[in-house]
Amino acid sequence: MSTLARKKGVGAVIWDYLTTVDHKKIAILYLIAGGIFFLLGGLEALVIRIQLAVPNNDFISAGFYNEVLTMHGTTMIFLAAMPLVFAMMNAVVPIQIGARDVAFPFLNALGFWLFFFGGVFLNLSWFLGGAPDAGWTSYASLSLASPTHGIDFYVLGLQISGLGTLIGGINFLVTIINMRAPGMTYMRMPMFTWATFVTSALILFAFPPLTVGLIFMMMDRLFGGNFFDPALGGNTIIWEHLFWIFGHPEVYILVLPAFGIFSEIFATFSRKRLFGYSSMVFATVLIGFLGFMVWAHHMFTVGLGPIANAIFAVATMAIAVPTGVKIFNWLFTMWGGNIRFTTPMMYAVAFIPSFVIGGVTGVMNATAAADYQYHDSYFVVAHFHYVIVGGVVFALLAGAHYWWPKMFGKMLDEKLGKVTFWLFFIGFHLTFFIQHFLGLMGMPRRVFTFLPGQGFETGNLISTVGAFFMAAATVVLLANVVITTVKGKRVGADPWGDGRTLEWAVSSPAPEYNFAQIPLVRGLDAYWIEKMEGKKGLTPAEPLGDIHMPNPSFLPFVISLGLFIAALGFLYNQDYAWGKWVGIVGLLVTLGAMFLRSVIDDHGFHIHKEEIMEAEKKGAGA
Amino acid sequence: MKKWLLNWRLFSLFSLMALLLAGCGKPFLSTLQPAGEVADMQYNLMLLSTAIMVFVIAVVTIIFVYVVIRFRQRKGQENKIPKQVEGSHKLEIIWTVIPILLLIILAVPTVSYTFKLADVKPMNKEKRDKDVVVVNVRANLYWWEFEYPDYGVVTSQDLVVPTDERVYFNLKASDVKHSFWIPAVGGKMDTNTDNKNQFWLEFDSKRAEEAGGIFYGKCAELCGPSHALMDFKVKAVSRAEFDQWIEKMQNAKPVASTDPVVKQGEEIFNKSCIGCHAVTPVDKRPEQARTAPNLANFADRERIAGILEHNEENLKEWLRDPEKIKPGNKMTDTYGKLTEEQIDALTKYLMTLKVE
Amino acid sequence: MHIEEKLTPETFPAEPEKATLEGKNKFLGFWFFLGGETVLFASLFATYLALKDSVAGGPTSEELFKMPLVFVATMLLLTSSLTSVYAMYHMKNFDFKKMQLWLGVTVLLGAAFLALEIYEFNEYVHEGFKFSTSAFSSAFYTLVGTHGAHVTFGLLWILTLMIRNAKRGLNLYNAPKFYVASLYWHFIDVVWVFIFTVVYLMGMVG
């Protein structure tokens, strides 16, 4: 049964990935799918910037612009940033806590396929009558008025992919609670694991409100519901609340893992343990908690009244405190360190000033009375791109360079990596810094063009130029990936030489079973401790023996495919008689696959001791 | 790498200069050139928060630059292992407490201004004072209606307000959500489909004059293809002029023209347009029936369709194909194809609709 | 303890649902899932409360709701929760037959509840209270209907487990499955208590 050390054909490899339940392979799936959606979202961003390069431009039409704008936001948040974060989590967290896999390998695969089919479904809209065009927030009155099926694709696609995210969140919560190696107490967990833990909790509580909102909108658009129709007593503000009760924690769902990634990188390349580890943990938890208390700061201009606005303003400001603690802790991690400017470290270092700008403009936005000016202007666009790009995307790029050898066994080229970094860094600030001023000068966001003579020309042109720098950076990155894959040299367990956490103790890439023997963890930065004591490997916590592994399964793919078919059917429910039936067939496929999963016993298989010993010998030689 | 840094600094310098050259935007549009009480408060808050934030950025940057330069790996140190520091309670308390203090400094005026800006008591008094000006703003797909309920006057696209006093607004939307924003005069408020929002603005006479007497207004909530083109203009005039204008609007009478072309235009208008567009400012119909901009003072307006320069050529362009100018508007295809002659006549007629 | 081990009442652990790592994971993961479900229902309840008076000329809750029917339904579901506790009690005592029996009773009670709910909805529709009548009707059917869908799923789930394991009895592989299914059933019951209070009781006093 073992798949160790077997040469395989292309078909077999594809089948392997379609059925895999191995967290490392699922990480690669997330990375590829998320990467493709990232390119797509980036392309959409370029279209937006080209259209806005000069006043009264007619590069694309107004209606199409709204589709591109909506899909840019939706794709980047749900289909690029989230899955890329999941790629990092899957690649690293189980190994960081000394586990052989996640708690629910089957659900892990299911989570990926749900996200994937949801994303594909959403993008089908381009070819089937038009993409959603009401912004990624899809405010109810506009989205109900939208004439094409675009919004239906949005509503159904996000329900499917949201389900996948929710499953992923539960999986990591249980994994981190139940699967830690002996000695890996909570306060010895690497910062990235902590971030994953808190993020997963946020996912668990933030996604259901979004699902409910999407259900309401689906009911209204496809099944005659009246949740958001004021004529029949509905209320569109309900959508705004539900969306932002999800939407604000979503920011932290993205940015906390980013903080986690940078925490690892700062410690590694400063060759110092993380400064103020306990306060970092506390700050992470606090940010996660406060993240749920502040959603209405997205709604200051809705007319909730001064009391609500004041409360949410002050609560929002409070988040700056734990975030500030983190910034200073990172600075003091570097203080007295031996800093090596590798590509991941460049991103980490550049992240600090970039993210501080995003953070302080966040506080500015929190001042409700002044936010009446900022709200829905380009100031806000600048602010959240500083947070999402300067925080999350920098972290994902850093993490990709940092953990690439662990995922693929080869180092990305450092020279090209630095070229990517500089292009991206310059492009990023060039694009978004000026947008603060455009907003303050009176430019509303989500405009498909602007008229001459309002003072917006220079700023927009600079911004567009910047976007091309980022595009160039992406091209270099892709070239780097290709060159590395073709020509890169295999590396050993700890290719950066300064690895501190457990993932650097196993070969690159890690064997299917991660650890031949589950390690005994003796403190924070478990691998570093062993290294400093002059030991080669980890202290094992168990004798070498057979390792129990989960079976691969095709069912996650089928369950997700069923929902995909069902969504397609229900989308056409009101247009064609077959719509409903296709929808029901799709649901039956899903339920049938779930039924099979329930009735077929799946006890997994064992990798035998001898095979492990052989594999370890080879791995050590690599 | 140093060379890169130098280049980068030069580059930032240049972009900063470019910014200065562009100025802080236009006085009729920019929040950075406030022209009224509300915008002043918001501008003050902006300055205060910016000052605090620049202080924070400066502190971080100083530590950052020092750390990055001082503690970078030097030749011969490749194998040095620095001291592993756990943390420092003293430092951690410092950088928890100082931000809290800074935020309190910011929170106090924020809360106070938030309440001040929401003070709409004068407009909701059971018996409103006679001189309190209230405007009902109704946002529609790509045009704005302004109703002065106390004077029984309806107009659209150009909002006329008295300077140096608080003007109160009732805000709502008739189709999808929009947002009412006059950047130079004060922050925005959404026009919802479910409820009526209220707020006030004040237009400063001196600064209005400096801005040319006209402020630009914008829709700040994505509302469809022509969201970007849903502009309106604000004429801020003295109280006396405002009263005069109201009086003229109340007494506006259609002028019987002797020009046969204008007459022909009027006939076309009465056949094809009057179903939606009213030409008298005293429009007693309920708002649901008012499905298109009131044109009573059309010739006095600042812009055609809210965006084009106000001249006959642009008006003809608009009448020929509104879709080309404002995609997704509700006027397209509501009237038959017009010949050039009809368009000329219609244009002539529309240009006679004025009260001033 | 190994998962496929044949067990006797003596070797059967006190907490069979948590005796294996897989069982422990399932147990914890399912609790988290219920946490998410709680937020889901909380959002539905909040919306219902916001819209319950928006009848838009359609029937109001006072006109619609009938106490006897809802009361019987509530009793059925509460009792089914109790019988599922019995079933779990017998599971822990390694008495497979009695467990199956009580699960069977649970399923019957649940099915009766579901039948009453379908009857109730049918009545409402005949009285002119359709899904698209008003915002109130949409919110009502979505909240109560989501609960009904959970009941249906729970019934199918428990039935599947009962039939699948009918011949082979209890082991540490299926014990956690029975356990989480019963957890699910309790959760459904708790949600119903809230529906009964918030929707029906509050709806009848207005």
Side-chain angles (χ1 to χ4, degrees):
Chain A
M1 247 338 257
S2 164
T3 50
L4 283 176
R6 203 192 297 160
K7 282 262 176 213
K8 281 179 289 191
V10 179
V13 169
I14 291 174
W15 180 250
D16 182 23
Y17 274 89
L18 286 179
T19 58
T20 187
V21 294
D22 178 352
H23 71 96
K24 297 172 290 295
K25 287 182 182 157
I26 291 172
I28 292 173
L29 287 174
Y30 269 120
L31 189 71
I32 294 172
I36 290 172
F37 283 123
F38 181 74
L39 293 181
L40 207 59
L43 211 61
E44 285 151 4
L46 267 189
V47 171
I48 290 174
R49 279 320 320 168
I50 293 173
Q51 166 68 14
L52 291 178
V54 290
N56 273 336
N57 200 0
D58 59 356
F59 177 66
I60 53 173
S61 73
F64 187 64
Y65 179 90
N66 285 355
E67 293 176 27
V68 173
L69 146 115
T70 303
M71 285 302 281
H72 166 68
T74 313
T75 303
M76 283 303 198
I77 297 284
F78 291 101
L79 310 181
M82 296 277 309
L84 289 173
V85 163
F86 266 112
M88 303 290 156
M89 291 182 186
N90 266 303
V92 178
V93 168
I95 317 184
Q96 271 194 339
I97 59 170
R100 293 226 162 89
D101 205 326
V102 293
F104 308 110
F106 180 90
L107 290 184
N108 203 12
L110 180 60
F112 168 76
W113 289 111
L114 284 170
F115 139 70
F116 179 76
F117 276 108
V120 170
F121 185 79
L122 193 55
N123 276 284
L124 268 188
S125 61
W126 288 117
F127 312 102
L128 296 174
D133 58 357
W136 87 283
T137 53
S138 205
Y139 273 13
S141 62
L142 179 61
S143 52
L144 289 190
S146 178
T148 67
H149 271 305
I151 304 292
D152 305 326
F153 278 104
Y154 170 96
V155 161
L156 293 164
L158 288 190
Q159 280 186 65
I160 296 173
S161 75
L163 205 58
T165 310
L166 184 70
I167 288 173
I170 293 177
N171 198 352
F172 277 105
L173 280 174
V174 178
T175 303
I176 292 172
I177 292 177
N178 274 358
M179 313 278 283
R180 282 168 291 129
M184 177 65 81
T185 59
Y186 283 106
M187 291 314 276
R188 285 178 183 174
M189 291 195 318
M191 216 41 228
F192 182 60
T193 299
W194 257 111
T196 302
F197 186 65
V198 177
T199 290
S200 302
L202 292 184
I203 288 175
L204 177 61
F205 295 115
F207 268 75
L210 175 71
T211 306
V212 169
L214 292 170
I215 289 173
F216 290 164
M217 191 167 280
M218 174 180 78
M219 292 296 178
D220 273 18
R221 284 190 57 99
L222 299 173
F223 301 101
N226 306 309
F227 290 98
F228 307 126
D229 181 2
L232 287 165
N235 189 316
T236 58
I237 310 298
I238 291 174
W239 166 267
E240 294 184 31
H241 279 295
L242 288 174
F243 186 86
W244 288 117
I245 289 173
F246 148 78
H248 197 77
E250 170 70 13
V251 178
Y252 298 102
I253 289 171
L254 294 176
V255 92
L256 287 179
F259 290 170
I261 292 171
F262 284 132
S263 298
E264 304 291 318
I265 292 173
F266 277 123
T268 301
F269 295 111
S270 304
R271 240 180 239 172
K272 263 183 77 205
R273 66 172 273 166
L274 195 63
F275 190 90
Y277 171 83
S278 352
S279 67
M280 286 295 250
V281 170
F282 182 68
T284 306
V285 176
L286 192 62
I287 292 174
F289 180 74
L290 288 174
F292 276 101
M293 310 287 158
V294 298
W295 80 89
H297 67 217
H298 297 268
M299 300 166 65
F300 279 152
T301 66
V302 168
L304 301 177
I307 298 172
N309 282 2
I311 291 172
F312 279 100
V314 175
T316 306
M317 288 179 193
I319 294 190
V321 177
T323 316
V325 168
K326 281 181 162 287
I327 298 276
F328 285 108
N329 276 331
W330 287 319
L331 285 174
F332 278 78
T333 301
M334 290 192 284
W335 189 289
N338 191 357
I339 304 173
R340 274 168 62 206
F341 285 98
T342 57
T343 307
M345 190 60 171
M346 305 272 273
Y347 282 107
V349 166
F351 151 80
I352 287 190
S354 310
F355 188 79
V356 167
I357 294 176
V360 298
T361 52
V363 177
M364 291 174 77
N365 280 320
T367 58
D371 180 69
Y372 302 159
Q373 287 286 28
Y374 310 135
H375 180 85
D376 264 348
S377 79
Y378 255 82
F379 187 85
V380 170
V381 176
H383 157 69
F384 69 71
H385 280 99
Y386 263 84
V387 173
I388 301 288
V389 184
V392 182
V393 177
F394 276 22
L396 290 171
L397 290 170
H401 284 87
Y402 183 56
W403 282 309
W404 197 272
K406 194 47 67 186
M407 291 178 82
F408 297 100
K410 293 171 177 180
M411 287 273 249
L412 285 173
D413 184 79
E414 276 287 284
K415 269 208 195 88
L416 286 177
K418 283 176 184 164
V419 172
T420 309
F421 165 76
W422 281 111
L423 284 173
F424 201 86
F425 180 73
I426 292 169
F428 161 67
H429 284 284
L430 207 51
T431 307
F432 296 112
F433 190 72
I434 195 90
Q435 290 183 358
H436 293 110
F437 294 91
L438 284 173
L440 295 176
M441 280 151 60
M443 181 164 162
R445 71 189 271 208
R446 294 172 164 168
V447 289
F448 85 97
T449 191
F450 55 95
L451 302 174
Q454 303 185 102
F456 302 153
E457 288 89 341
T458 322
N460 275 300
L461 189 62
I462 293 176
S463 189
T464 301
V465 171
F468 278 93
F469 275 81
M470 284 194 274
T474 313
V475 173
V476 176
L477 176 65
L478 285 180
N480 196 352
V481 168
V482 173
I483 293 170
T484 304
T485 309
V486 177
K487 281 187 161 160
K489 267 200 270 201
R490 297 241 144 236
V491 292
D494 186 11
W496 298 106
D498 287 319
R500 308 176 71 84
T501 41
L502 287 178
E503 76 267 30
W504 304 111
V506 297
S507 62
S508 306
E512 198 180 354
Y513 47 80
N514 293 355
F515 298 93
Q517 290 161 287
I518 294 292
L520 180 70
V521 174
R522 300 190 296 142
L524 182 67
D525 296 334
Y527 181 47
W528 181 260
I529 291 177
E530 306 289 345
K531 271 201 287 193
M532 285 304 105
E533 292 182 3
K535 292 187 189 147
K536 268 243 167 91
L538 302 167
T539 314
E542 59 173 15
L544 196 62
D546 292 358
I547 294 175
H548 178 244
M549 300 296 293
N551 281 326
S553 172
F554 190 51
L555 288 176
F557 186 91
V558 179
I559 293 176
S560 313
L561 180 69
L563 286 182
F564 178 85
I565 297 169
L568 207 57
F570 288 126
L571 185 100
Y572 288 111
N573 177 40
Q574 289 175 333
D575 305 339
Y576 305 105
W578 52 260
K580 200 193 319 171
W581 298 110
V582 171
I584 290 170
V585 167
L587 286 183
L588 287 178
V589 169
T590 296
L591 285 174
M594 285 167 72
F595 178 77
L596 286 180
R597 171 66 185 165
S598 181
V599 299
I600 301 172
D601 284 354
D602 181 0
H603 295 306
F605 64 96
H606 284 87
I607 304 178
H608 296 293
K609 201 169 152 185
E610 295 72 35
E611 291 178 89
I612 296 165
M613 277 156 67
E614 203 171 308
E616 284 297 300
K617 229 184 277 163
K618 259 199 239 156
Chain B
M1 208 187 89
K2 272 192 174 160
K3 209 174 160 198
W4 265 112
L5 264 176
L6 193 69
N7 284 347
W8 172 236
R9 280 188 199 131
L10 271 176
F11 189 79
S12 332
L13 204 66
F14 275 120
S15 36
L16 257 178
M17 276 168 61
L19 256 182
L20 286 176
L21 286 176
C24 297
K26 307 286 183 193
F28 50 79
L29 181 61
S30 176
T31 67
L32 300 174
Q33 304 195 33
E37 203 183 335
V38 174
D40 279 340
M41 277 192 234
Q42 289 164 337
Y43 186 63
N44 290 342
L45 208 46
M46 272 184 216
L47 289 185
L48 175 67
S49 55
T50 309
I52 295 176
M53 296 313 150
V54 167
F55 170 73
V56 171
I57 292 176
V59 171
V60 171
T61 309
I62 290 167
I63 302 176
F64 175 79
V65 171
Y66 176 75
V67 165
V68 168
I69 293 173
R70 170 72 181 74
F71 298 107
R72 70 181 194 281
Q73 192 172 70
R74 284 153 220 261
K75 279 228 167 73
Q77 293 186 336
E78 282 80 4
N79 294 318
K80 191 186 132 202
I81 307 273
K83 195 167 155 241
Q84 305 290 308
V85 186
E86 227 176 273
S88 153
H89 284 296
K90 209 191 285 165
L91 280 174
E92 283 164 45
I93 289 170
I94 289 175
W95 61 60
T96 308
V97 172
I98 292 180
I100 290 179
L101 293 178
L102 291 176
L103 288 174
I104 291 174
I105 295 175
L106 190 59
V108 172
T110 297
V111 172
S112 140
Y113 284 165
T114 304
F115 278 89
K116 270 188 200 150
L117 295 180
D119 176 20
V120 288
K121 265 183 247 132
M123 74 186 291
N124 292 326
K125 266 200 220 146
E126 209 147 310
K127 266 203 80 159
R128 200 144 63 200
D129 286 349
K130 254 195 102 183
D131 53 348
V132 171
V133 176
V134 174
V135 185
N136 293 346
V137 175
R138 200 160 60 95
N140 307 276
L141 280 168
Y142 322 131
W143 62 278
W144 299 84
E145 180 182 85
F146 306 110
E147 181 187 7
Y148 300 78
D150 296 344
Y151 305 106
V153 165
V154 177
T155 185
S156 57
Q157 296 298 53
D158 285 14
L159 169 68
V160 180
V161 287
T163 51
D164 300 330
E165 62 178 279
R166 291 188 177 184
V167 180
Y168 294 87
F169 295 91
N170 285 312
L171 305 160
K172 61 189 226 168
S174 64
D175 31 46
V176 303
K177 185 183 174 100
H178 305 273
S179 190
F180 178 78
W181 189 26
I182 311 169
V185 182
K188 61 192 75 60
M189 190 135 202
D190 293 354
T191 62
N192 295 328
T193 52
D194 324 80
N195 66 309
K196 190 176 70 182
N197 275 335
Q198 300 185 319
F199 82 149
W200 61 274
L201 293 170
E202 191 259 359
F203 304 77
D204 184 80
S205 56
K206 204 168 136 256
R207 286 175 287 178
E209 207 175 298
E210 283 162 15
I214 302 283
F215 293 107
Y216 281 32
K218 303 251 169 204
C219 172
E221 182 69 54
L222 179 64
C223 55
S226 283
H227 160 58
L229 305 175
M230 194 172 153
D231 288 5
F232 61 97
K233 299 290 173 288
V234 187
K235 285 184 196 166
V237 296
S238 70
R239 181 67 198 218
E241 284 174 83
F242 176 75
D243 289 339
Q244 271 175 15
W245 178 77
I246 285 287
E247 209 186 305
K248 280 185 201 156
M249 287 293 273
Q250 283 169 328
N251 301 320
K253 291 257 155 40
V255 201
S257 173
T258 47
D259 188 337
V261 183
V262 174
K263 272 222 152 80
Q264 189 202 350
E266 189 175 0
E267 272 163 36
I268 299 167
F269 188 90
N270 287 343
K271 216 174 72 200
S272 309
C273 316
I274 202 132
C276 305
H277 291 283
V279 285
T280 159
V282 187
D283 189 348
K284 294 267 197 285
R285 295 176 298 167
E287 61 183 37
Q288 291 84 354
R290 308 197 297 254
T291 55
N294 185 305
L295 299 178
N297 58 346
F298 178 79
D300 299 332
R301 300 255 159 96
E302 288 293 319
R303 291 284 190 279
I304 305 281
I307 46 173
L308 302 175
E309 204 182 315
H310 202 283
N311 58 36
E312 293 198 3
E313 234 4 85
N314 282 335
L315 177 54
K316 286 179 193 167
E317 202 59 36
W318 168 253
L319 290 173
R320 261 179 226 124
D321 186 7
E323 192 64 19
K324 210 177 91 194
I325 291 161
K326 264 190 170 173
N329 76 80
K330 299 288 169 197
M331 178 162 144
T332 305
D333 292 336
T334 53
Y335 55 97
K337 182 114 184 77
L338 299 170
T339 65
E340 277 306 302
E341 192 201 341
Q342 287 172 314
I343 287 175
D344 285 345
L346 208 46
T347 303
K348 282 267 171 340
Y349 167 69
L350 286 170
M351 286 302 191
T352 65
L353 297 174
K354 52 169 91 177
V355 297
E356 306 248 20
Chain C
M1 219 168 284
H2 197 264
I3 209 159
E4 285 157 285
E5 210 173 315
K6 274 274 172 244
L7 295 159
T8 62
E10 286 74 38
T11 57
F12 200 67
E15 287 190 320
E17 73 277 7
K18 286 191 280 186
T20 60
L21 179 63
E22 286 81 359
K24 257 186 234 158
N25 286 345
K26 229 174 224 156
F27 176 80
L28 186 63
F30 202 78
W31 268 107
F32 279 125
F33 170 71
L34 291 184
E37 287 262 85
T38 306
V39 182
L40 181 107
F41 274 104
S43 307
L44 288 171
F45 272 110
T47 307
Y48 175 81
L49 285 176
L51 296 177
K52 76 184 172 72
D53 299 321
S54 305
V55 292
T60 64
S61 55
E62 288 97 327
E63 291 162 21
L64 284 168
F65 299 159
K66 290 168 200 74
M67 196 58 180
L69 181 83
V70 184
F71 184 74
V72 172
T74 307
M75 283 303 127
L76 285 174
L77 203 61
L78 284 180
T79 316
S80 80
S81 206
L82 183 70
T83 55
S84 79
V85 172
Y86 285 155
M88 286 308 104
Y89 171 78
H90 291 301
M91 181 188 87
K92 293 199 176 185
N93 287 340
F94 202 61
D95 191 340
F96 182 68
K97 277 209 180 110
K98 279 196 182 142
M99 181 192 85
Q100 288 281 73
L101 179 73
W102 283 112
L103 282 180
V105 176
T106 306
V107 168
L108 283 179
L109 289 169
F113 168 87
L114 200 62
L116 276 188
E117 185 157 272
I118 292 170
Y119 170 79
E120 181 200 4
F121 279 13
N122 203 28
E123 282 288 289
Y124 292 164
V125 171
H126 279 297
E127 288 170 39
F129 186 67
K130 298 197 181 81
F131 181 71
S132 50
T133 302
S134 61
F136 164 57
S137 74
S138 300
F140 170 81
Y141 282 117
T142 305
L143 170 59
V144 183
T146 305
H147 176 265
H150 277 70
V151 173
T152 315
F153 187 81
L155 288 178
L156 291 175
W157 185 8
I158 296 177
L159 266 179
T160 308
L161 284 180
M162 285 173 68
I163 296 167
R164 172 67 183 92
N165 295 298
K167 285 214 182 109
R168 62 177 175 181
L170 272 174
N171 57 34
L172 292 182
Y173 180 68
N174 58 25
K177 293 189 176 199
F178 280 112
Y179 188 85
V180 293
S182 89
L183 262 186
Y184 187 72
W185 195 255
H186 286 309
F187 175 76
I188 292 171
D189 194 51
V190 171
V191 171
W192 180 259
V193 171
F194 279 93
I195 291 184
F196 181 66
T197 318
V198 173
V199 176
Y200 290 99
L201 288 184
M202 280 170 63
M204 270 181 274
V205 287

